[in-house]
Amino acid sequence: GGAPPARPAEPNRGAVPKAGSPPPAAAATAPKAEAAPGEGQPSNVLFVENLPAEVNEMMLTMLFRQYPGFQEARLIKGRNVAFIEYADELQAGIAKHGLQGFMVTPEMALKIAFAKQ
C-alpha cells in the first residue's frame, strides 16, 4: 500500500475548523456542507468581480461556456461585475473552481463567488 504523496498545503483563507462536531440533525438537513465559510450558499449563478473595463458579454460567454451547464452571462455595465448563470449549483461550482483567479489581463485576475439568492 502506502499513503499517497502529500500535497503542499494550500493557505486556508479564513477556514477555521470548529471544535466538536455539528448535531446530527444539522448534518442530515445540510448535505451540501462542503462550501467553505465566506463563500456564500451554493447557487447556480456566479458573481464575477474584478473585470477589466474592456470586457464584454461575448468575451464572458466564450470564457464561461467552456464549462457544461452554461446558460448566460450578464454584464453589469459601469460596475465591472457580471452574473454567470448555469443549469445547476454543481455545474456553477465546477466553473467557479476552474476559472477562479483566471488572468483576464496580465494584471487582473477574476474573483468569483456564488451570487446571493
Side-chain angles (χ1 to χ4, degrees):
R7 288 175 43 206
E10 294 175 11
N12 264 359
R13 286 178 298 207
V16 182
K18 292 190 177 67
S21 55
T29 55
K32 293 200 179 85
E34 73 267 13
E39 286 285 287
Q41 290 297 316
S43 163
N44 68 315
V45 180
L46 299 178
F47 177 61
V48 184
E49 297 176 274
N50 215 25
L51 293 169
E54 66 269 20
V55 85
N56 59 37
E57 282 187 359
M58 175 140 179
M59 289 163 70
L60 289 170
T61 298
M62 299 285 285
L63 189 61
F64 285 89
R65 78 171 181 198
Q66 303 171 73
Y67 292 86
F70 175 82
Q71 306 279 319
E72 71 166 324
R74 290 191 298 277
L75 185 65
I76 311 301
K77 301 245 189 298
R79 286 187 46 209
N80 293 359
V81 300
F83 292 96
I84 314 292
E85 190 177 328
Y86 281 86
D88 62 39
E89 295 169 10
L90 188 69
Q91 291 171 323
I94 291 168
K96 172 179 175 290
H97 184 78
L99 290 170
Q100 187 71 268
F102 179 86
M103 300 301 287
V104 203
T105 71
E107 302 84 43
M108 297 186 76
L110 292 182
K111 276 175 57 184
I112 308 175
F114 287 116
K116 305 264 188 297
Q117 292 290 60

